[in-house]
PDB file of all heavy atoms in Angstrom:
ATOM      1  N   TYR A 231      -8.093  -4.211 -13.676  1.00  0.00           N
ATOM      2  CA  TYR A 231      -7.791  -5.634 -13.672  1.00  0.00           C
ATOM      3  C   TYR A 231      -6.336  -5.908 -14.056  1.00  0.00           C
ATOM      4  O   TYR A 231      -5.672  -6.751 -13.447  1.00  0.00           O
ATOM      5  CB  TYR A 231      -8.724  -6.370 -14.628  1.00  0.00           C
ATOM      6  CG  TYR A 231      -8.417  -7.848 -14.725  1.00  0.00           C
ATOM      7  CD1 TYR A 231      -8.753  -8.708 -13.679  1.00  0.00           C
ATOM      8  CD2 TYR A 231      -7.780  -8.380 -15.845  1.00  0.00           C
ATOM      9  CE1 TYR A 231      -8.459 -10.060 -13.746  1.00  0.00           C
ATOM     10  CE2 TYR A 231      -7.487  -9.729 -15.912  1.00  0.00           C
ATOM     11  CZ  TYR A 231      -7.832 -10.567 -14.868  1.00  0.00           C
ATOM     12  OH  TYR A 231      -7.523 -11.912 -14.939  1.00  0.00           O
ATOM     13  N   SER A 298     -11.355   1.510 -14.615  1.00  0.00           N
ATOM     14  CA  SER A 298     -11.931   0.279 -15.125  1.00  0.00           C
ATOM     15  C   SER A 298     -12.572  -0.524 -13.992  1.00  0.00           C
ATOM     16  O   SER A 298     -13.568  -0.089 -13.428  1.00  0.00           O
ATOM     17  CB  SER A 298     -10.862  -0.512 -15.879  1.00  0.00           C
ATOM     18  OG  SER A 298     -11.421  -1.532 -16.659  1.00  0.00           O
ATOM     19  N   MET A 299     -12.036  -1.672 -13.631  1.00  0.00           N
ATOM     20  CA  MET A 299     -12.560  -2.440 -12.507  1.00  0.00           C
ATOM     21  C   MET A 299     -12.646  -1.573 -11.253  1.00  0.00           C
ATOM     22  O   MET A 299     -13.628  -1.637 -10.500  1.00  0.00           O
ATOM     23  CB  MET A 299     -11.672  -3.654 -12.254  1.00  0.00           C
ATOM     24  CG  MET A 299     -12.070  -4.519 -11.092  1.00  0.00           C
ATOM     25  SD  MET A 299     -10.995  -5.976 -10.887  1.00  0.00           S
ATOM     26  CE  MET A 299      -9.527  -5.208 -10.147  1.00  0.00           C
ATOM     27  N   GLY A 324     -17.001   0.568 -17.457  1.00  0.00           N
ATOM     28  CA  GLY A 324     -18.168   0.084 -18.189  1.00  0.00           C
ATOM     29  C   GLY A 324     -17.926  -1.033 -19.169  1.00  0.00           C
ATOM     30  O   GLY A 324     -18.854  -1.421 -19.889  1.00  0.00           O
ATOM     31  N   SER A 325     -16.726  -1.607 -19.230  1.00  0.00           N
ATOM     32  CA  SER A 325     -16.507  -2.742 -20.123  1.00  0.00           C
ATOM     33  C   SER A 325     -17.505  -3.852 -19.798  1.00  0.00           C
ATOM     34  O   SER A 325     -17.681  -4.216 -18.637  1.00  0.00           O
ATOM     35  CB  SER A 325     -15.089  -3.281 -19.958  1.00  0.00           C
ATOM     36  OG  SER A 325     -14.131  -2.344 -20.364  1.00  0.00           O
ATOM     37  N   GLY A 326     -18.170  -4.365 -20.837  1.00  0.00           N
ATOM     38  CA  GLY A 326     -19.124  -5.444 -20.635  1.00  0.00           C
ATOM     39  C   GLY A 326     -20.466  -5.016 -20.117  1.00  0.00           C
ATOM     40  O   GLY A 326     -21.309  -5.858 -19.794  1.00  0.00           O
ATOM     41  N   SER A 327     -20.707  -3.717 -20.043  1.00  0.00           N
ATOM     42  CA  SER A 327     -21.974  -3.229 -19.503  1.00  0.00           C
ATOM     43  C   SER A 327     -23.036  -3.032 -20.578  1.00  0.00           C
ATOM     44  O   SER A 327     -24.217  -3.255 -20.338  1.00  0.00           O
ATOM     45  CB  SER A 327     -21.739  -1.904 -18.757  1.00  0.00           C
ATOM     46  OG  SER A 327     -22.929  -1.450 -18.161  1.00  0.00           O
ATOM     47  N   THR A 331     -22.895  -5.720 -26.259  1.00  0.00           N
ATOM     48  CA  THR A 331     -21.608  -6.413 -26.208  1.00  0.00           C
ATOM     49  C   THR A 331     -21.459  -7.316 -24.984  1.00  0.00           C
ATOM     50  O   THR A 331     -20.450  -8.011 -24.866  1.00  0.00           O
ATOM     51  CB  THR A 331     -20.456  -5.395 -26.204  1.00  0.00           C
ATOM     52  OG1 THR A 331     -20.604  -4.510 -25.064  1.00  0.00           O
ATOM     53  CG2 THR A 331     -20.463  -4.562 -27.482  1.00  0.00           C
ATOM     54  N   ARG A 332     -22.441  -7.332 -24.103  1.00  0.00           N
ATOM     55  CA  ARG A 332     -22.288  -8.076 -22.847  1.00  0.00           C
ATOM     56  C   ARG A 332     -22.071  -9.580 -23.063  1.00  0.00           C
ATOM     57  O   ARG A 332     -21.199 -10.173 -22.415  1.00  0.00           O
ATOM     58  CB  ARG A 332     -23.468  -7.827 -21.919  1.00  0.00           C
ATOM     59  CG  ARG A 332     -23.267  -8.447 -20.535  1.00  0.00           C
ATOM     60  CD  ARG A 332     -24.186  -7.845 -19.496  1.00  0.00           C
ATOM     61  NE  ARG A 332     -23.998  -8.436 -18.185  1.00  0.00           N
ATOM     62  CZ  ARG A 332     -23.005  -8.148 -17.341  1.00  0.00           C
ATOM     63  NH1 ARG A 332     -22.097  -7.249 -17.691  1.00  0.00           N
ATOM     64  NH2 ARG A 332     -22.910  -8.730 -16.169  1.00  0.00           N
ATOM     65  N   PRO A 333     -22.830 -10.256 -23.929  1.00  0.00           N
ATOM     66  CA  PRO A 333     -22.573 -11.699 -24.100  1.00  0.00           C
ATOM     67  C   PRO A 333     -21.136 -11.991 -24.532  1.00  0.00           C
ATOM     68  O   PRO A 333     -20.504 -12.926 -24.015  1.00  0.00           O
ATOM     69  CB  PRO A 333     -23.588 -12.106 -25.176  1.00  0.00           C
ATOM     70  CG  PRO A 333     -24.693 -11.111 -25.049  1.00  0.00           C
ATOM     71  CD  PRO A 333     -24.010  -9.825 -24.705  1.00  0.00           C
ATOM     72  N   ALA A 334     -20.596 -11.193 -25.446  1.00  0.00           N
ATOM     73  CA  ALA A 334     -19.220 -11.405 -25.892  1.00  0.00           C
ATOM     74  C   ALA A 334     -18.241 -11.127 -24.757  1.00  0.00           C
ATOM     75  O   ALA A 334     -17.223 -11.833 -24.616  1.00  0.00           O
ATOM     76  CB  ALA A 334     -18.914 -10.512 -27.092  1.00  0.00           C
ATOM     77  N   TYR A 335     -18.530 -10.130 -23.950  1.00  0.00           N
ATOM     78  CA  TYR A 335     -17.665  -9.809 -22.817  1.00  0.00           C
ATOM     79  C   TYR A 335     -17.620 -10.964 -21.821  1.00  0.00           C
ATOM     80  O   TYR A 335     -16.549 -11.362 -21.353  1.00  0.00           O
ATOM     81  CB  TYR A 335     -18.164  -8.532 -22.128  1.00  0.00           C
ATOM     82  CG  TYR A 335     -17.517  -8.253 -20.805  1.00  0.00           C
ATOM     83  CD1 TYR A 335     -16.274  -7.631 -20.728  1.00  0.00           C
ATOM     84  CD2 TYR A 335     -18.146  -8.604 -19.607  1.00  0.00           C
ATOM     85  CE1 TYR A 335     -15.675  -7.374 -19.502  1.00  0.00           C
ATOM     86  CE2 TYR A 335     -17.553  -8.355 -18.384  1.00  0.00           C
ATOM     87  CZ  TYR A 335     -16.317  -7.744 -18.335  1.00  0.00           C
ATOM     88  OH  TYR A 335     -15.729  -7.495 -17.117  1.00  0.00           O
ATOM     89  N   LEU A 336     -18.782 -11.517 -21.485  1.00  0.00           N
ATOM     90  CA  LEU A 336     -18.820 -12.612 -20.522  1.00  0.00           C
ATOM     91  C   LEU A 336     -18.096 -13.843 -21.066  1.00  0.00           C
ATOM     92  O   LEU A 336     -17.411 -14.548 -20.317  1.00  0.00           O
ATOM     93  CB  LEU A 336     -20.274 -12.945 -20.177  1.00  0.00           C
ATOM     94  CG  LEU A 336     -21.031 -11.841 -19.427  1.00  0.00           C
ATOM     95  CD1 LEU A 336     -22.491 -12.239 -19.226  1.00  0.00           C
ATOM     96  CD2 LEU A 336     -20.370 -11.532 -18.088  1.00  0.00           C
ATOM     97  N   ALA A 337     -18.237 -14.079 -22.365  1.00  0.00           N
ATOM     98  CA  ALA A 337     -17.506 -15.188 -22.977  1.00  0.00           C
ATOM     99  C   ALA A 337     -16.005 -14.948 -22.898  1.00  0.00           C
ATOM    100  O   ALA A 337     -15.216 -15.880 -22.660  1.00  0.00           O
ATOM    101  CB  ALA A 337     -17.948 -15.378 -24.427  1.00  0.00           C
ATOM    102  N   GLU A 338     -15.599 -13.691 -23.062  1.00  0.00           N
ATOM    103  CA  GLU A 338     -14.175 -13.360 -23.021  1.00  0.00           C
ATOM    104  C   GLU A 338     -13.599 -13.566 -21.626  1.00  0.00           C
ATOM    105  O   GLU A 338     -12.441 -13.993 -21.480  1.00  0.00           O
ATOM    106  CB  GLU A 338     -13.955 -11.920 -23.476  1.00  0.00           C
ATOM    107  CG  GLU A 338     -12.491 -11.543 -23.574  1.00  0.00           C
ATOM    108  CD  GLU A 338     -12.286 -10.122 -24.054  1.00  0.00           C
ATOM    109  OE1 GLU A 338     -13.147  -9.264 -23.774  1.00  0.00           O
ATOM    110  OE2 GLU A 338     -11.266  -9.871 -24.706  1.00  0.00           O
ATOM    111  N   THR A 339     -14.379 -13.268 -20.579  1.00  0.00           N
ATOM    112  CA  THR A 339     -13.866 -13.492 -19.223  1.00  0.00           C
ATOM    113  C   THR A 339     -13.528 -14.970 -19.016  1.00  0.00           C
ATOM    114  O   THR A 339     -12.505 -15.298 -18.393  1.00  0.00           O
ATOM    115  CB  THR A 339     -14.874 -13.039 -18.151  1.00  0.00           C
ATOM    116  OG1 THR A 339     -16.083 -13.809 -18.242  1.00  0.00           O
ATOM    117  CG2 THR A 339     -15.194 -11.559 -18.280  1.00  0.00           C
ATOM    118  N   ARG A 340     -14.356 -15.847 -19.542  1.00  0.00           N
ATOM    119  CA  ARG A 340     -14.079 -17.284 -19.410  1.00  0.00           C
ATOM    120  C   ARG A 340     -12.868 -17.696 -20.243  1.00  0.00           C
ATOM    121  O   ARG A 340     -12.054 -18.524 -19.819  1.00  0.00           O
ATOM    122  CB  ARG A 340     -15.318 -18.088 -19.804  1.00  0.00           C
ATOM    123  CG  ARG A 340     -16.521 -17.843 -18.885  1.00  0.00           C
ATOM    124  CD  ARG A 340     -17.666 -18.770 -19.202  1.00  0.00           C
ATOM    125  NE  ARG A 340     -18.297 -18.460 -20.474  1.00  0.00           N
ATOM    126  CZ  ARG A 340     -19.319 -17.619 -20.629  1.00  0.00           C
ATOM    127  NH1 ARG A 340     -19.806 -16.964 -19.578  1.00  0.00           N
ATOM    128  NH2 ARG A 340     -19.850 -17.402 -21.816  1.00  0.00           N
ATOM    129  N   GLU A 341     -12.735 -17.095 -21.428  1.00  0.00           N
ATOM    130  CA  GLU A 341     -11.576 -17.399 -22.273  1.00  0.00           C
ATOM    131  C   GLU A 341     -10.275 -16.953 -21.615  1.00  0.00           C
ATOM    132  O   GLU A 341      -9.270 -17.672 -21.632  1.00  0.00           O
ATOM    133  CB  GLU A 341     -11.729 -16.715 -23.627  1.00  0.00           C
ATOM    134  CG  GLU A 341     -12.785 -17.331 -24.527  1.00  0.00           C
ATOM    135  CD  GLU A 341     -12.862 -16.615 -25.859  1.00  0.00           C
ATOM    136  OE1 GLU A 341     -11.907 -15.886 -26.192  1.00  0.00           O
ATOM    137  OE2 GLU A 341     -13.874 -16.790 -26.557  1.00  0.00           O
ATOM    138  N   VAL A 342     -10.282 -15.755 -21.052  1.00  0.00           N
ATOM    139  CA  VAL A 342      -9.077 -15.247 -20.400  1.00  0.00           C
ATOM    140  C   VAL A 342      -8.706 -16.131 -19.216  1.00  0.00           C
ATOM    141  O   VAL A 342      -7.527 -16.458 -19.007  1.00  0.00           O
ATOM    142  CB  VAL A 342      -9.274 -13.783 -19.958  1.00  0.00           C
ATOM    143  CG1 VAL A 342      -8.112 -13.316 -19.081  1.00  0.00           C
ATOM    144  CG2 VAL A 342      -9.412 -12.879 -21.169  1.00  0.00           C
ATOM    145  N   ALA A 343      -9.701 -16.551 -18.435  1.00  0.00           N
ATOM    146  CA  ALA A 343      -9.427 -17.431 -17.300  1.00  0.00           C
ATOM    147  C   ALA A 343      -8.785 -18.731 -17.776  1.00  0.00           C
ATOM    148  O   ALA A 343      -7.821 -19.229 -17.164  1.00  0.00           O
ATOM    149  CB  ALA A 343     -10.714 -17.722 -16.532  1.00  0.00           C
ATOM    150  N   GLY A 344      -9.297 -19.281 -18.858  1.00  0.00           N
ATOM    151  CA  GLY A 344      -8.733 -20.508 -19.394  1.00  0.00           C
ATOM    152  C   GLY A 344      -7.299 -20.328 -19.878  1.00  0.00           C
ATOM    153  O   GLY A 344      -6.436 -21.192 -19.649  1.00  0.00           O
ATOM    154  N   ARG A 345      -7.042 -19.213 -20.526  1.00  0.00           N
ATOM    155  CA  ARG A 345      -5.674 -18.956 -21.008  1.00  0.00           C
ATOM    156  C   ARG A 345      -4.710 -18.717 -19.853  1.00  0.00           C
ATOM    157  O   ARG A 345      -3.543 -19.119 -19.921  1.00  0.00           O
ATOM    158  CB  ARG A 345      -5.683 -17.757 -21.952  1.00  0.00           C
ATOM    159  CG  ARG A 345      -6.347 -18.036 -23.292  1.00  0.00           C
ATOM    160  CD  ARG A 345      -6.383 -16.803 -24.153  1.00  0.00           C
ATOM    161  NE  ARG A 345      -7.109 -17.044 -25.395  1.00  0.00           N
ATOM    162  CZ  ARG A 345      -7.410 -16.092 -26.275  1.00  0.00           C
ATOM    163  NH1 ARG A 345      -7.034 -14.844 -26.043  1.00  0.00           N
ATOM    164  NH2 ARG A 345      -8.085 -16.383 -27.369  1.00  0.00           N
ATOM    165  N   LEU A 346      -5.180 -18.057 -18.809  1.00  0.00           N
ATOM    166  CA  LEU A 346      -4.329 -17.861 -17.642  1.00  0.00           C
ATOM    167  C   LEU A 346      -3.916 -19.202 -17.044  1.00  0.00           C
ATOM    168  O   LEU A 346      -2.747 -19.423 -16.708  1.00  0.00           O
ATOM    169  CB  LEU A 346      -5.055 -17.012 -16.594  1.00  0.00           C
ATOM    170  CG  LEU A 346      -5.092 -15.506 -16.851  1.00  0.00           C
ATOM    171  CD1 LEU A 346      -6.150 -14.842 -15.983  1.00  0.00           C
ATOM    172  CD2 LEU A 346      -3.727 -14.877 -16.584  1.00  0.00           C
ATOM    173  N   ARG A 347      -4.871 -20.095 -16.924  1.00  0.00           N
ATOM    174  CA  ARG A 347      -4.572 -21.409 -16.347  1.00  0.00           C
ATOM    175  C   ARG A 347      -3.647 -22.213 -17.252  1.00  0.00           C
ATOM    176  O   ARG A 347      -2.772 -22.943 -16.776  1.00  0.00           O
ATOM    177  CB  ARG A 347      -5.874 -22.175 -16.107  1.00  0.00           C
ATOM    178  CG  ARG A 347      -6.711 -21.630 -14.952  1.00  0.00           C
ATOM    179  CD  ARG A 347      -7.991 -22.410 -14.794  1.00  0.00           C
ATOM    180  NE  ARG A 347      -8.726 -22.042 -13.583  1.00  0.00           N
ATOM    181  CZ  ARG A 347     -10.012 -21.742 -13.554  1.00  0.00           C
ATOM    182  NH1 ARG A 347     -10.730 -21.755 -14.687  1.00  0.00           N
ATOM    183  NH2 ARG A 347     -10.604 -21.440 -12.427  1.00  0.00           N
ATOM    184  N   ALA A 348      -3.824 -22.083 -18.554  1.00  0.00           N
ATOM    185  CA  ALA A 348      -3.055 -22.892 -19.495  1.00  0.00           C
ATOM    186  C   ALA A 348      -1.692 -22.302 -19.819  1.00  0.00           C
ATOM    187  O   ALA A 348      -0.716 -23.046 -19.986  1.00  0.00           O
ATOM    188  CB  ALA A 348      -3.861 -23.075 -20.783  1.00  0.00           C
ATOM    189  N   VAL A 354      -0.643 -14.064 -21.121  1.00  0.00           N
ATOM    190  CA  VAL A 354      -1.895 -13.321 -21.225  1.00  0.00           C
ATOM    191  C   VAL A 354      -1.627 -11.818 -21.188  1.00  0.00           C
ATOM    192  O   VAL A 354      -2.231 -11.043 -21.941  1.00  0.00           O
ATOM    193  CB  VAL A 354      -2.867 -13.728 -20.101  1.00  0.00           C
ATOM    194  CG1 VAL A 354      -4.082 -12.804 -20.062  1.00  0.00           C
ATOM    195  CG2 VAL A 354      -3.316 -15.176 -20.304  1.00  0.00           C
ATOM    196  N   MET A 358      -2.763  -9.185 -23.967  1.00  0.00           N
ATOM    197  CA  MET A 358      -3.678  -8.113 -23.581  1.00  0.00           C
ATOM    198  C   MET A 358      -3.113  -6.745 -23.964  1.00  0.00           C
ATOM    199  O   MET A 358      -3.838  -5.845 -24.398  1.00  0.00           O
ATOM    200  CB  MET A 358      -3.928  -8.166 -22.071  1.00  0.00           C
ATOM    201  CG  MET A 358      -4.985  -7.207 -21.565  1.00  0.00           C
ATOM    202  SD  MET A 358      -5.232  -7.354 -19.766  1.00  0.00           S
ATOM    203  CE  MET A 358      -5.787  -9.061 -19.648  1.00  0.00           C
ATOM    204  N   PHE A 382       2.111  -7.133 -14.884  1.00  0.00           N
ATOM    205  CA  PHE A 382       1.031  -8.116 -14.978  1.00  0.00           C
ATOM    206  C   PHE A 382       1.590  -9.528 -14.819  1.00  0.00           C
ATOM    207  O   PHE A 382       0.957 -10.393 -14.193  1.00  0.00           O
ATOM    208  CB  PHE A 382       0.311  -7.985 -16.317  1.00  0.00           C
ATOM    209  CG  PHE A 382      -0.940  -8.818 -16.420  1.00  0.00           C
ATOM    210  CD1 PHE A 382      -2.161  -8.322 -15.989  1.00  0.00           C
ATOM    211  CD2 PHE A 382      -0.896 -10.095 -16.949  1.00  0.00           C
ATOM    212  CE1 PHE A 382      -3.314  -9.080 -16.086  1.00  0.00           C
ATOM    213  CE2 PHE A 382      -2.047 -10.874 -17.056  1.00  0.00           C
ATOM    214  CZ  PHE A 382      -3.260 -10.362 -16.618  1.00  0.00           C
ATOM    215  N   VAL A 387      -1.648 -15.998 -10.746  1.00  0.00           N
ATOM    216  CA  VAL A 387      -2.598 -16.539 -11.718  1.00  0.00           C
ATOM    217  C   VAL A 387      -3.910 -16.890 -11.029  1.00  0.00           C
ATOM    218  O   VAL A 387      -4.996 -16.612 -11.552  1.00  0.00           O
ATOM    219  CB  VAL A 387      -2.002 -17.772 -12.428  1.00  0.00           C
ATOM    220  CG1 VAL A 387      -3.080 -18.535 -13.199  1.00  0.00           C
ATOM    221  CG2 VAL A 387      -0.877 -17.346 -13.368  1.00  0.00           C
ATOM    222  N   GLU A 388      -3.815 -17.473  -9.847  1.00  0.00           N
ATOM    223  CA  GLU A 388      -5.019 -17.827  -9.103  1.00  0.00           C
ATOM    224  C   GLU A 388      -5.859 -16.590  -8.805  1.00  0.00           C
ATOM    225  O   GLU A 388      -7.090 -16.580  -8.986  1.00  0.00           O
ATOM    226  CB  GLU A 388      -4.632 -18.526  -7.801  1.00  0.00           C
ATOM    227  CG  GLU A 388      -5.816 -19.068  -7.007  1.00  0.00           C
ATOM    228  CD  GLU A 388      -5.355 -19.865  -5.794  1.00  0.00           C
ATOM    229  OE1 GLU A 388      -4.512 -19.347  -5.021  1.00  0.00           O
ATOM    230  OE2 GLU A 388      -5.835 -20.996  -5.607  1.00  0.00           O
ATOM    231  N   GLY A 389      -5.207 -15.527  -8.361  1.00  0.00           N
ATOM    232  CA  GLY A 389      -5.934 -14.296  -8.078  1.00  0.00           C
ATOM    233  C   GLY A 389      -6.553 -13.694  -9.314  1.00  0.00           C
ATOM    234  O   GLY A 389      -7.695 -13.215  -9.293  1.00  0.00           O
ATOM    235  N   LEU A 390      -5.821 -13.710 -10.439  1.00  0.00           N
ATOM    236  CA  LEU A 390      -6.345 -13.160 -11.691  1.00  0.00           C
ATOM    237  C   LEU A 390      -7.550 -13.957 -12.181  1.00  0.00           C
ATOM    238  O   LEU A 390      -8.545 -13.390 -12.644  1.00  0.00           O
ATOM    239  CB  LEU A 390      -5.251 -13.152 -12.754  1.00  0.00           C
ATOM    240  CG  LEU A 390      -4.108 -12.154 -12.567  1.00  0.00           C
ATOM    241  CD1 LEU A 390      -2.998 -12.425 -13.572  1.00  0.00           C
ATOM    242  CD2 LEU A 390      -4.599 -10.712 -12.701  1.00  0.00           C
ATOM    243  N   VAL A 391      -7.469 -15.282 -12.099  1.00  0.00           N
ATOM    244  CA  VAL A 391      -8.574 -16.126 -12.558  1.00  0.00           C
ATOM    245  C   VAL A 391      -9.823 -15.873 -11.724  1.00  0.00           C
ATOM    246  O   VAL A 391     -10.921 -15.658 -12.267  1.00  0.00           O
ATOM    247  CB  VAL A 391      -8.175 -17.614 -12.504  1.00  0.00           C
ATOM    248  CG1 VAL A 391      -9.398 -18.513 -12.676  1.00  0.00           C
ATOM    249  CG2 VAL A 391      -7.144 -17.924 -13.573  1.00  0.00           C
ATOM    250  N   HIS A 392      -9.673 -15.893 -10.422  1.00  0.00           N
ATOM    251  CA  HIS A 392     -10.841 -15.680  -9.562  1.00  0.00           C
ATOM    252  C   HIS A 392     -11.414 -14.272  -9.744  1.00  0.00           C
ATOM    253  O   HIS A 392     -12.638 -14.080  -9.708  1.00  0.00           O
ATOM    254  CB  HIS A 392     -10.471 -15.908  -8.098  1.00  0.00           C
ATOM    255  CG  HIS A 392     -10.178 -17.336  -7.758  1.00  0.00           C
ATOM    256  ND1 HIS A 392     -10.824 -18.387  -8.360  1.00  0.00           N
ATOM    257  CD2 HIS A 392      -9.316 -17.887  -6.859  1.00  0.00           C
ATOM    258  CE1 HIS A 392     -10.376 -19.530  -7.861  1.00  0.00           C
ATOM    259  NE2 HIS A 392      -9.450 -19.246  -6.957  1.00  0.00           N
ATOM    260  N   THR A 393     -10.531 -13.293  -9.946  1.00  0.00           N
ATOM    261  CA  THR A 393     -11.016 -11.921 -10.120  1.00  0.00           C
ATOM    262  C   THR A 393     -11.821 -11.768 -11.402  1.00  0.00           C
ATOM    263  O   THR A 393     -12.896 -11.169 -11.406  1.00  0.00           O
ATOM    264  CB  THR A 393      -9.832 -10.934 -10.111  1.00  0.00           C
ATOM    265  OG1 THR A 393      -9.180 -10.997  -8.842  1.00  0.00           O
ATOM    266  CG2 THR A 393     -10.311  -9.514 -10.352  1.00  0.00           C
ATOM    267  N   ILE A 394     -11.315 -12.334 -12.496  1.00  0.00           N
ATOM    268  CA  ILE A 394     -12.035 -12.122 -13.763  1.00  0.00           C
ATOM    269  C   ILE A 394     -13.341 -12.899 -13.809  1.00  0.00           C
ATOM    270  O   ILE A 394     -14.322 -12.450 -14.417  1.00  0.00           O
ATOM    271  CB  ILE A 394     -11.133 -12.450 -14.972  1.00  0.00           C
ATOM    272  CG1 ILE A 394     -11.679 -11.729 -16.213  1.00  0.00           C
ATOM    273  CG2 ILE A 394     -11.020 -13.954 -15.212  1.00  0.00           C
ATOM    274  CD1 ILE A 394     -10.731 -11.651 -17.370  1.00  0.00           C
ATOM    275  N   LEU A 395     -13.395 -14.059 -13.135  1.00  0.00           N
ATOM    276  CA  LEU A 395     -14.625 -14.844 -13.148  1.00  0.00           C
ATOM    277  C   LEU A 395     -15.639 -14.363 -12.108  1.00  0.00           C
ATOM    278  O   LEU A 395     -16.832 -14.256 -12.411  1.00  0.00           O
ATOM    279  CB  LEU A 395     -14.304 -16.322 -12.903  1.00  0.00           C
ATOM    280  CG  LEU A 395     -13.520 -17.042 -13.999  1.00  0.00           C
ATOM    281  CD1 LEU A 395     -13.215 -18.469 -13.577  1.00  0.00           C
ATOM    282  CD2 LEU A 395     -14.282 -17.038 -15.319  1.00  0.00           C
ATOM    283  N   GLU A 396     -15.167 -14.077 -10.914  1.00  0.00           N
ATOM    284  CA  GLU A 396     -16.084 -13.797  -9.818  1.00  0.00           C
ATOM    285  C   GLU A 396     -16.392 -12.313  -9.629  1.00  0.00           C
ATOM    286  O   GLU A 396     -17.464 -11.959  -9.146  1.00  0.00           O
ATOM    287  CB  GLU A 396     -15.519 -14.369  -8.505  1.00  0.00           C
ATOM    288  CG  GLU A 396     -15.202 -15.849  -8.555  1.00  0.00           C
ATOM    289  CD  GLU A 396     -16.414 -16.691  -8.913  1.00  0.00           C
ATOM    290  OE1 GLU A 396     -17.533 -16.358  -8.484  1.00  0.00           O
ATOM    291  OE2 GLU A 396     -16.228 -17.698  -9.628  1.00  0.00           O
ATOM    292  N   VAL A 397     -15.452 -11.452 -10.007  1.00  0.00           N
ATOM    293  CA  VAL A 397     -15.688  -9.999  -9.893  1.00  0.00           C
ATOM    294  C   VAL A 397     -16.164  -9.454 -11.236  1.00  0.00           C
ATOM    295  O   VAL A 397     -17.285  -8.946 -11.357  1.00  0.00           O
ATOM    296  CB  VAL A 397     -14.417  -9.269  -9.420  1.00  0.00           C
ATOM    297  CG1 VAL A 397     -14.688  -7.766  -9.287  1.00  0.00           C
ATOM    298  CG2 VAL A 397     -13.936  -9.831  -8.093  1.00  0.00           C
ATOM    299  N   GLN A 398     -15.317  -9.584 -12.257  1.00  0.00           N
ATOM    300  CA  GLN A 398     -15.661  -9.049 -13.566  1.00  0.00           C
ATOM    301  C   GLN A 398     -16.861  -9.774 -14.190  1.00  0.00           C
ATOM    302  O   GLN A 398     -17.731  -9.146 -14.798  1.00  0.00           O
ATOM    303  CB  GLN A 398     -14.466  -9.179 -14.509  1.00  0.00           C
ATOM    304  CG  GLN A 398     -13.177  -8.534 -14.014  1.00  0.00           C
ATOM    305  CD  GLN A 398     -13.163  -7.043 -14.193  1.00  0.00           C
ATOM    306  OE1 GLN A 398     -13.861  -6.329 -13.488  1.00  0.00           O
ATOM    307  NE2 GLN A 398     -12.386  -6.566 -15.135  1.00  0.00           N
ATOM    308  N   GLY A 399     -16.886 -11.086 -14.053  1.00  0.00           N
ATOM    309  CA  GLY A 399     -17.915 -11.859 -14.731  1.00  0.00           C
ATOM    310  C   GLY A 399     -19.258 -11.886 -14.042  1.00  0.00           C
ATOM    311  O   GLY A 399     -20.265 -12.260 -14.664  1.00  0.00           O
ATOM    312  N   ARG A 400     -19.326 -11.499 -12.779  1.00  0.00           N
ATOM    313  CA  ARG A 400     -20.588 -11.585 -12.032  1.00  0.00           C
ATOM    314  C   ARG A 400     -21.145 -10.234 -11.592  1.00  0.00           C
ATOM    315  O   ARG A 400     -22.233 -10.174 -11.024  1.00  0.00           O
ATOM    316  CB  ARG A 400     -20.403 -12.475 -10.799  1.00  0.00           C
ATOM    317  CG  ARG A 400     -20.098 -13.931 -11.136  1.00  0.00           C
ATOM    318  CD  ARG A 400     -20.043 -14.785  -9.884  1.00  0.00           C
ATOM    319  NE  ARG A 400     -19.725 -16.167 -10.180  1.00  0.00           N
ATOM    320  CZ  ARG A 400     -20.627 -17.098 -10.526  1.00  0.00           C
ATOM    321  NH1 ARG A 400     -21.906 -16.773 -10.608  1.00  0.00           N
ATOM    322  NH2 ARG A 400     -20.249 -18.333 -10.761  1.00  0.00           N
ATOM    323  N   ARG A 401     -20.433  -9.163 -11.859  1.00  0.00           N
ATOM    324  CA  ARG A 401     -20.933  -7.863 -11.411  1.00  0.00           C
ATOM    325  C   ARG A 401     -22.123  -7.440 -12.277  1.00  0.00           C
ATOM    326  O   ARG A 401     -22.161  -7.705 -13.473  1.00  0.00           O
ATOM    327  CB  ARG A 401     -19.818  -6.815 -11.492  1.00  0.00           C
ATOM    328  CG  ARG A 401     -19.354  -6.522 -12.910  1.00  0.00           C
ATOM    329  CD  ARG A 401     -18.096  -5.682 -12.935  1.00  0.00           C
ATOM    330  NE  ARG A 401     -17.716  -5.355 -14.310  1.00  0.00           N
ATOM    331  CZ  ARG A 401     -16.555  -4.817 -14.652  1.00  0.00           C
ATOM    332  NH1 ARG A 401     -15.658  -4.554 -13.711  1.00  0.00           N
ATOM    333  NH2 ARG A 401     -16.286  -4.543 -15.917  1.00  0.00           N
TER     334      ARG A 401
END
Side-chain angles (χ1 to χ4, degrees):
Y231 177 74
S298 194
M299 178 178 76
S325 295
S327 183
T331 58
R332 187 161 180 78
Y335 169 82
L336 294 176
E338 185 179 31
T339 63
R340 296 187 290 270
E341 288 181 17
V342 171
R345 289 177 184 173
L346 282 164
R347 288 179 172 131
V354 171
M358 187 179 298
F382 188 88
V387 167
E388 186 175 50
L390 290 171
V391 167
H392 291 326
T393 298
I394 202 165
L395 293 177
E396 304 302 324
V397 181
Q398 304 282 72
R400 295 185 181 275
R401 65 190 183 191

